[in-house]
Amino acid sequence: MSILTERIRTANASGRKAVIPYLPGGFPDSDRFWDELAALDAGGADIIEIGVPFSDPVADGPVVEQASLDCLERGVCLAWILSELAKRKGSFKAGLVLMGYYNPFLQYGLEKLGRDCAAAGVSGLIIPDLPLEETGPAAKALEGTGTNLICLVGLNTPKERLEQYAKVAKGFVYFVSVLGTTGVRESLPEEVLAKLAEVRPYFTVPIALGFGIARPEQVAPFGDLIDAVVIGSALIRHIDAHKSAASFMEGWRAGGK
Amino acid sequence: MQKGYFGKFGGMFVPELLMPPLLEIEEAMNTIVPSESFQAEFNSILMDYVGRPSALYRCPNLSERLGFNLWLKREDLNHTGAHKINNALGQGLLCKHMGKSVLLAETGAGMHGVATATAAAMLGLECVVYMGATDVVRQSHNVRRMGLLGATVVPIESGTKTLKDAINAALRRWIADQRTTHYCFGTAAGPHPFPTLVREFQSVISREAKAQFMKKIGRLPDYVVACVGGGSNAIGAFHEFVPHSEVKLVGVEAAGTGEPGCHHSAPLNLGTPGVLHGAMSMLLQTTEGQIEPSHSIAPGLDYPGVGPEHAGLQDSGRAHYGTINDAQAYNAFMTLCRSEGILPAMESSHAVAWVLENAASIPKDSHVMVCLSGRGDKDMDIIEEYEKKFRK
Ligand SMILES: Cc1ncc(COP(=O)(O)O)c(C=O)c1O
């Protein structure tokens, strides 16, 4: 079983949703990033998504975009993230996933990416601008490396595409909760519940709900339709307000049942 | 499974949430666009509203001086003053046929924004135009035009505040509003099906030109030359000639100031392959895959990417892509004004400049067609600024 699937199932077995915080690589600065990452891990994150900055993040809202541009200014890049992770390999309980746009991965070299992800203990890649049609080269490069390419689906994904994604999904499936970009929202659209009920039977791997989620109360209504939640912009705002990743995780561990 | 490739270039590198609306447009492109009723409606709009066919004009004075025939395909004479209207009306009409009520567009120079605002007004659609905050200031005249035409212009403050960021923001808006909104992409770039759809609507340029040449000189031209920003006027000017290997196809990119190390807009000449705005193409980027800023005196050429079909045509050797710097474009602008009484857009001046700069290697008595993509009235401030800086 994929490490990512295993982490989520373990959380579920203890009666809670897996918690997947998202932290842009090198945020809030290149040193504190590693402290916050360790704090998320110690605080009980089941999987941690590390953002790889890109100059043109079309699937992201203003909070993630600004954090990403700030990280680029400071010289954060994929090579730095991977080599620093390799030095710390084995020190995280949480599964690690990189979330980033295709071009930086492509320029890094997909073969090399597969090798270096394995060396860095990265178990998955979320590439939001790589729909099914274009996954071929990346999937091939990752074959046999233990690193999963995570599929994203959403409110408008039709049955035929769900069927196709179901054939290739590994680790977990990322369900995008809104027709929109990342960023905190007060409430999730009504139709999420119905769509999740439709999507659920297609997949044997767990489903993580992400985009727009800020508070544990928001995910309570989804009950058994989801297995994990991803929280991004809310964590960035929390840290921007000079609060710690540790206190953020406390809130989620308490509320994310 | 892959769709919309031109050799190695093209594709659909977009969030999954944009796949359904893109596939919906692909379907409409394949079924609605070729239908007799759509074609009849579109052609009558092009004729009576845009003023097509646009003239194919032989420049008498420059032809005399150069020793070969310089022909201009006068897209500058179209309603709204550029080739952009061909595409905006085509997509506007398609939007209506798809049952959507809003046209969303990005714009750099403002020409595509004005064209889309015009199409929306004429077709009874709502119009929202995304424009980098820097461009809103640089092209204030066009911003006012869009306002008068009833469009809402949204200034984009993120990133470099130019065209590239306007496209990012428009794609984000489209994710959210896809049920009611058609994204009227302004050039032959972006994810499939846009490069093919925009080419379809801009090919009227080469279809007309081919017929006009046959009538006027009884054969095809030797050269077809067009400026390349995203590549829509160029692909429209090339398309019908691509199968005729005797016609040389030349795209002209903007070299900016031309000084080493300075920004430019020449990804085909100086970029590397990569993925931006939904397509694999040639890009201005760092070795780490971050997009680099572009520059050109012509705002419509100021873009770090280029349509994937041009990358494919370059790769296969069918088309050749040259560069022209700001100063050469300015000289060509003045030359066309003074010799022929035609005031070209700074973008189109790059294509004219390529012919002037390469005149020595063009055989005598050749027939050379330049796609004069737009008129220069919009560029008065740019010309004035340039002259203040360099021509005191
Ligand atoms: C007059 C004119 N020509 C050319 C261009 C460049 O676009 P494309 O390369 O898509 O033809 C523009 C863009 O704004 C323009 O306004």
Side-chain angles (χ1 to χ4, degrees):
Chain A
M1 197 195 309
S2 148
I3 289 171
L4 302 173
T5 309
E6 189 268 325
R7 292 290 191 282
I8 295 174
R9 294 289 184 229
T10 303
N12 297 160
S14 65
R16 59 180 183 82
K17 306 289 172 218
V19 179
I20 310 180
Y22 164 89
L23 195 63
F27 176 86
D29 63 49
S30 304
D31 292 326
R32 271 180 67 202
F33 170 72
W34 298 105
D35 300 336
E36 301 293 358
L37 195 65
L40 290 172
D41 189 54
D46 298 290
I47 293 170
I48 303 172
E49 247 184 61
I50 299 172
V52 180
F54 182 50
S55 51
D56 295 83
V58 285
D60 285 298
V63 173
V64 172
E65 178 176 34
Q66 196 52 54
S68 178
L69 293 178
D70 292 346
C71 291
L72 279 178
E73 287 266 296
R74 287 195 296 272
V76 174
C77 63
L78 178 58
W80 177 77
I81 294 172
L82 283 171
S83 67
E84 291 294 317
L85 279 175
K87 287 184 206 161
R88 294 167 174 82
K89 193 177 180 192
S91 63
F92 300 102
K93 294 190 298 287
L96 298 179
V97 169
L98 296 185
M99 137 102 199
Y101 292 81
Y102 191 45
N103 199 46
F105 291 129
L106 188 67
Q107 302 306 326
Y108 189 82
L110 296 176
E111 298 294 328
K112 181 166 150 62
L113 178 68
R115 284 196 304 274
D116 293 356
C117 279
V122 170
S123 307
L125 295 179
I126 301 175
I127 310 180
D129 57 346
L130 206 64
L132 196 61
E133 281 74 359
E134 306 293 352
T135 51
K140 188 153 170 273
L142 293 178
E143 223 169 60
T145 60
T147 304
N148 303 142
L149 200 54
I150 304 302
C151 304
L152 294 102
V153 300
L155 287 166
N156 62 350
T157 311
K159 287 192 167 57
E160 315 81 72
R161 295 184 70 80
L162 289 173
E163 272 165 22
Q164 290 167 325
Y165 276 119
K167 285 186 202 144
V168 295
K170 290 205 189 85
F172 63 92
V173 170
Y174 194 132
F175 185 92
V176 178
S177 67
V178 290
L179 275 184
T181 50
T182 56
V184 168
R185 284 169 179 79
E186 269 316 302
S187 62
L188 300 179
E190 296 262 330
E191 51 185 321
V192 174
L193 217 54
K195 188 66 184 182
L196 274 171
E198 181 199 329
V199 167
R200 185 63 142 172
Y202 285 90
F203 295 96
T204 52
V205 292
I207 294 182
L209 183 69
F211 280 41
I213 295 163
R215 290 167 287 108
E217 309 86 84
Q218 284 176 299
V219 294
F222 298 108
D224 287 340
L225 289 175
I226 60 167
D227 308 296
V229 279
V230 184
I231 316 109
S233 298
L235 173 59
I236 294 175
R237 280 198 190 169
H238 184 91
I239 292 176
D240 263 340
H242 304 288
K243 291 188 267 186
S244 71
S247 66
F248 183 85
M249 283 308 298
E250 269 165 38
W252 273 95
R253 290 289 293 215
K257 300 272 176 195
Chain B
M1 279 277 288
Q2 290 188 325
K3 289 182 166 195
Y5 273 79
F6 306 91
K8 303 190 297 236
F9 301 101
M12 306 180 83
F13 296 85
V14 294
E16 172 58 33
L17 300 188
L18 282 180
M19 288 302 293
L22 285 169
L23 295 173
E24 185 187 354
I25 298 174
E26 184 195 43
E27 168 81 17
M29 175 175 80
N30 292 334
T31 57
I32 297 171
V33 174
S35 72
E36 234 168 82
S37 61
F38 183 93
Q39 287 295 325
E41 199 177 353
F42 184 45
N43 287 330
S44 99
I45 293 172
L46 288 180
M47 192 166 81
D48 299 331
Y49 185 68
V50 177
R52 303 205 71 94
S54 70
L56 177 69
Y57 178 68
R58 183 179 172 278
C59 295
N61 304 318
L62 279 172
S63 296
E64 176 74 32
R65 203 168 97 197
L66 294 166
F68 54 80
N69 302 282
L70 177 62
W71 296 87
L72 301 178
K73 181 61 176 157
R74 300 288 307 274
E75 294 300 302
D76 61 314
L77 295 179
N78 292 342
H79 179 41
T80 70
H83 68 294
K84 297 281 179 191
I85 193 76
N86 303 329
N87 170 52
L89 282 166
Q91 289 201 48
L93 200 57
L94 193 61
C95 169
K96 266 187 103 158
H97 281 261
M98 289 191 299
K100 306 208 169 179
S101 56
V102 185
L103 275 183
L104 168 66
E106 82 294 338
T107 196
M111 294 310 280
H112 175 58
V114 168
T116 308
T118 300
M122 188 268 203
L123 295 165
L125 298 163
E126 242 181 88
C127 182
V128 182
V129 179
Y130 277 41
M131 190 168 184
T134 304
D135 291 330
V136 167
V137 176
R138 280 200 290 207
Q139 305 286 322
S140 60
H141 181 75
N142 272 342
V143 175
R144 286 200 299 279
R145 284 171 82 191
M146 289 182 258
L148 291 173
L149 290 159
T152 306
V153 178
V154 182
I156 302 305
E157 301 285 351
S158 60
T160 60
K161 304 185 182 19
T162 59
L163 177 60
K164 142 183 122 58
D165 302 280
I167 296 177
N168 291 338
L171 286 168
R172 289 174 188 138
R173 168 83 173 250
W174 194 34
I175 294 176
D177 291 354
Q178 56 184 263
R179 285 165 182 160
T180 54
T181 299
H182 172 73
Y183 184 12
C184 182
F185 204 75
T187 188
H192 175 71
F194 288 121
T196 304
L197 182 68
V198 175
R199 181 191 72 199
E200 167 71 25
F201 293 135
Q202 292 294 1
S203 295
V204 65
I205 300 173
S206 49
R207 249 192 332 272
E208 285 176 5
K210 203 173 161 184
Q212 288 165 322
F213 271 112
M214 290 314 290
K215 203 161 156 204
K216 285 177 194 267
I217 62 170
R219 68 172 179 94
L220 299 181
D222 302 295
Y223 291 80
V224 172
V225 184
C227 67
V228 178
S232 69
N233 89 88
I235 208 68
F238 290 176
H239 187 61
E240 288 289 323
F241 296 112
V242 169
H244 301 277
S245 56
E246 72 276 20
V247 181
K248 294 186 183 64
L249 306 176
V250 180
V252 184
E253 295 194 298
T257 62
E259 286 152 26
C262 284
H263 293 309
H264 54 83
S265 307
L268 289 166
N269 281 280
L270 301 166
T272 51
V275 171
L276 174 69
H277 295 148
M280 172 83 73
S281 190
M282 297 298 281
L283 281 185
L284 305 183
Q285 60 179 332
T286 66
T287 50
E288 281 147 10
Q290 306 298 337
I291 308 310
E292 291 203 288
S294 53
H295 165 78
S296 167
I297 189 172
L301 304 183
D302 195 342
Y303 180 58
V306 63
E309 189 166 3
H310 288 293
L313 286 170
Q314 181 185 43
D315 214 33
S316 71
R318 178 61 190 94
H320 164 81
Y321 295 85
T323 58
I324 283 297
N325 65 34
D326 293 352
Q328 293 169 321
Y330 170 82
N331 289 338
F333 171 89
M334 291 309 295
T335 302
L336 202 63
C337 286
R338 298 290 163 87
S339 317
E340 305 291 348
I342 294 172
L343 204 149
M346 279 317 287
E347 291 80 9
S348 325
S349 301
H350 283 71
V352 177
W354 187 89
V355 176
L356 300 180
E357 298 291 330
N358 292 278
S361 61
I362 296 174
K364 295 287 155 214
D365 301 323
S366 299
H367 291 275
V368 178
M369 177 182 112
V370 166
C371 180
L372 205 74
S373 55
R375 66 178 185 225
D377 308 49
K378 69 180 178 65
D379 295 325
M380 293 304 96
D381 294 347
I382 291 173
I383 297 289
E384 196 178 321
E385 206 179 300
Y386 184 85
E387 290 182 336
K388 259 194 229 144
K389 241 199 246 163
F390 298 104
R391 306 259 139 186
K392 272 174 257 173

